């Protein structure tokens, strides 16, 4: 059994809330890097509410279950990750809708952030026809199964450490290429010689993407629906790629 525990909620001092960031993570040992991520968001988006929620395993349903491995910070197999996503997707969606109602903000004013295995559950939500957020950011995540199609009403930002110890880097590259093929909207950034995908350098990169990346749907609308997929990979002079 697992539960979602709200670790912190930050709101702007002027109470003029225009954006909502919800961060899902499954390892509270990431507290220091989580603090950096939250600070970056609050500094760059002064009218944003930021919610950090940890996916806590409370009790394993059986010995060696995925809940127990999550509790002990052990690597999950592909089958165990699939079980986690199937078990958790509904809980995540209910939590998101609850916070959107609490802050009276729509999906397009919401950004979802997933860290580690929690990112896989966040990615599962992107497969919906009516997406729960306009922006989806993952640190070290992967799809259990790549989507057949994705709504253009969301932009997905994949951030990954090249030496990530839980999710291999090839998932980020393969996912980005696949999303391009199905005409979804995604970017990918990879930090070199880094083991933790929630490294501060990638948190900073997330902010750069959010501030500079115009969603593909806006280009499509501006061009009357006829558009070409733009290159969303790294630039030659990027310090991370």
């Amino acid at each position: 059994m697992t539960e979602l525990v709200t670790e912190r909620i930050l709101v702007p001092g002027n109470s003029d809330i225009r954006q909502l960031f919800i961060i899902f993570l499954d390892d509270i040992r990431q507290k220091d890097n989580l603090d950096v991520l939250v600070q970056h968001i609050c500094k760059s988006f002064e009218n944003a509410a930021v919610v950090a929620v940890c996916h806590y395993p409370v009790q394993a349903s059986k010995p060696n279950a995925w809940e127990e491995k999550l509790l002990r910070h052990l690597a999950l197999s592909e089958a165990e990750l699939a079980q986690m996503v199937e078990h958790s997707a509904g809980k995540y969606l209910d939590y998101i809708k609850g916070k959107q109602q609490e802050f009276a903000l729509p999906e397009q004013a919401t950004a979802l952030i997933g860290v580690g295995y929690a990112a896989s559950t966040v990615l599962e939500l992107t497969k919906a026809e009516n997406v729960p957020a306009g922006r989806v950011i993952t640190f070290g995540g992967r799809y259990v199964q790549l989507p057949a199609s994705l709504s253009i009403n969301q932009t997905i930002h994949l951030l990954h450490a090249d030496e990530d110890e839980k999710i291999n880097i090839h998932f980020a590259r393969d996912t980005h290429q696949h999303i391009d093929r199905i005409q979804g909207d995604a970017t990918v950034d990879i930090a070199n010689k880094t083991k933790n995908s929630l490294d501060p350098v990638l948190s900073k990169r997330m902010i750069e993407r959010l501030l500079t990346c115009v969603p593909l749907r806006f280009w499509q609308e501006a061009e009357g629906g006829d558009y070409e997929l733009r290159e969303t990979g790294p630039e030659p002079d990027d310090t991370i790629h």
Side-chain angles (χ1 to χ4, degrees):
M1 182 175 68
T2 62
E3 62 182 40
L4 300 177
V5 178
T6 303
E7 292 293 336
R8 69 191 73 177
I9 299 178
L10 293 89
V11 296
N14 58 12
S15 299
D16 182 17
I17 302 173
R18 301 179 187 178
Q19 299 98 22
L20 171 62
F21 286 78
I22 304 178
I23 306 166
F24 292 94
L25 70 159
D26 54 59
D27 189 348
I28 200 58
R29 296 178 303 172
Q30 295 267 36
K31 181 181 181 302
D32 290 345
N33 286 340
L34 174 64
D35 289 343
V36 172
L37 175 63
V38 171
Q39 290 167 9
H40 279 314
I41 295 171
C42 292
K43 181 178 179 179
S44 301
F45 299 92
E46 296 180 355
N47 295 102
V50 182
V51 180
V53 53
C54 190
H55 189 162
Y56 274 109
V58 178
Q59 179 180 344
S61 57
K62 58 183 179 180
N64 298 319
W66 66 266
E67 298 102 323
E68 180 182 353
K69 287 192 174 182
L70 205 65
L71 181 63
R72 297 168 57 191
H73 309 294
L74 300 177
L76 301 183
S77 68
E78 189 161 341
E80 290 164 345
L81 183 59
Q83 291 169 1
M84 174 184 171
V85 170
E86 181 180 4
H87 172 83
S88 308
K91 292 183 179 180
Y92 279 41
L93 186 58
D94 289 344
Y95 188 94
I96 293 162
K97 289 182 176 179
K99 290 304 175 186
Q100 288 171 334
Q101 292 175 0
E102 178 181 343
F103 292 106
L105 290 172
E107 292 84 355
Q108 291 305 319
T110 303
L112 302 181
I113 301 174
V115 182
Y117 291 133
S120 291
T121 304
V122 169
L123 282 172
E124 183 67 20
L125 304 180
T126 66
K127 297 178 180 178
E129 183 176 354
N130 297 317
V131 295
R135 300 270 188 159
V136 176
I137 304 101
T138 63
F139 291 88
R142 58 159 292 190
Y143 280 104
V144 173
Q145 184 174 1
L146 291 171
S149 63
L150 288 173
S151 170
I152 199 66
N153 292 320
Q154 62 189 339
T155 302
I156 300 172
H157 302 285
L158 308 167
L159 301 118
H160 218 107
D162 67 340
E163 299 177 7
D164 191 291
E165 297 177 320
K166 289 186 176 180
I167 303 294
N168 190 282
I169 182 56
H170 82 79
F171 286 107
R173 296 192 180 105
D174 293 349
T175 297
H176 179 248
Q177 292 174 359
H178 178 79
I179 292 175
D180 269 357
R181 283 195 295 271
I182 63 174
Q183 297 191 357
D185 189 11
T187 66
V188 62
D189 291 287
I190 298 168
N192 292 325
K193 299 180 180 179
T194 306
K195 293 184 178 181
N196 186 350
S197 287
L198 194 58
D199 189 277
V201 70
L202 285 171
S203 295
K204 182 179 179 181
R205 186 61 164 179
M206 180 199 78
I207 297 297
E208 293 171 356
R209 285 297 192 182
L210 292 177
L211 293 175
T212 62
C213 179
V214 179
L216 185 58
R217 61 185 177 273
F218 295 158
W219 291 107
Q220 182 179 1
E221 292 169 1
E223 297 175 7
D226 295 324
Y227 66 98
E228 295 181 359
L229 292 177
R230 70 196 189 283
E231 177 60 48
T232 56
E235 298 296 332
D237 59 349
D238 281 350
T239 55
I240 57 175
H241 58 75

